Amino acid sequence: MERIALFIDGANVYAAAKRLGWNFDHRKILEHFAAPGRLYNAFYYTAVPTPIDDKQKRFTDALTYMGYTVRTRPLREATDDSGDTYRRASLDIEIVTDLLTTSDQYDTAVLLTGDGDFERPVEVLRARGKRVVVACIAEMTSYELRNAADLYVDFKDIREHVERPGYRLPSEQRGQETRPFYTSAALDGDDR
């Protein structure tokens, strides 16, 4: 039976949900992508404020309860050239580390992100005989990453299997701050 590992870039999936206008049910994501085999592990990577607020704590606790291994990094505040302040954290290193160090434990890696920074690690995994599935939305997926993967899955095509119906994104709720938890804007001259 095929051993499957799931790697979810939380910021990328959240941004995709905002663009799509619907949210994901993370339990359904687990079930959908693990269905063809046996799940080795599911990793979820997300930034958290310092100190962590109750809502984010409940979210990460719920993911852990569902069976995810949750990796977090604290948000950092930065100011861009125009003086606007934003919060950011990058978990790319953690994702790549887990992709490569656990590769003996799985046959297929399912990577939920569209970030082109993962092109080379995906190529390395495929060179090691691993199958790599990338899932995101087309407008957020780099051509290079899509080309490097064995299979690309568009979230729009699996909506009925992974949507959390009736649930509004936190940024869509009335009376709450509309600023995203963190942005993918570059820090310190990083040209991503």
Side-chain angles (χ1 to χ4, degrees), residues 1-2 84 122 125 133:
M1 181 172 264
E2 181 183 21
D84 292 332
V122 166
L125 286 171
V133 175

Side-chain angles (χ1 to χ4, degrees), residues 71-187:
R71 304 269 196 243
T72 61
R73 294 236 11 219
L75 288 166
R76 298 179 300 170
E77 273 204 12
T79 305
D80 63 18
D81 294 337
S82 65
D84 292 332
T85 301
Y86 59 91
R87 297 182 289 177
R88 179 178 199 271
S90 176
L91 285 108
D92 291 2
I93 296 299
E94 286 79 0
I95 296 171
V96 170
T97 299
D98 286 336
L99 275 167
L100 298 177
T101 60
T102 64
S103 65
D104 290 342
Q105 306 299 318
Y106 62 82
D107 305 306
T108 298
V110 179
L111 182 59
L112 275 66
T113 189
D115 189 340
D117 291 345
F118 296 107
E119 174 193 10
R120 186 68 184 127
V122 166
E123 290 171 345
V124 169
L125 286 171
R126 290 189 63 208
R128 292 181 179 177
K130 303 302 175 184
R131 181 171 178 263
V132 180
V133 175
V134 168
C136 196
I137 56 176
E139 57 268 27
M140 288 181 55
T141 305
S142 80
Y143 170 80
E144 294 80 11
L145 179 62
R146 192 172 177 164
N147 190 51
D150 291 291
L151 176 66
Y152 172 75
V153 176
D154 192 313
F155 290 147
K156 295 172 190 170
D157 296 336
I158 60 170
R159 179 177 183 170
E160 67 186 75
H161 302 288
V162 298
E163 182 180 12
R164 185 173 178 185
Y167 181 80
R168 294 171 63 187
L169 294 168
S171 60
E172 295 173 346
Q173 294 175 5
R174 293 175 195 219
Q176 293 196 359
E177 183 178 345
T178 58
R179 191 170 110 184
F181 223 24
Y182 70 97
T183 180
S184 60
L187 279 179

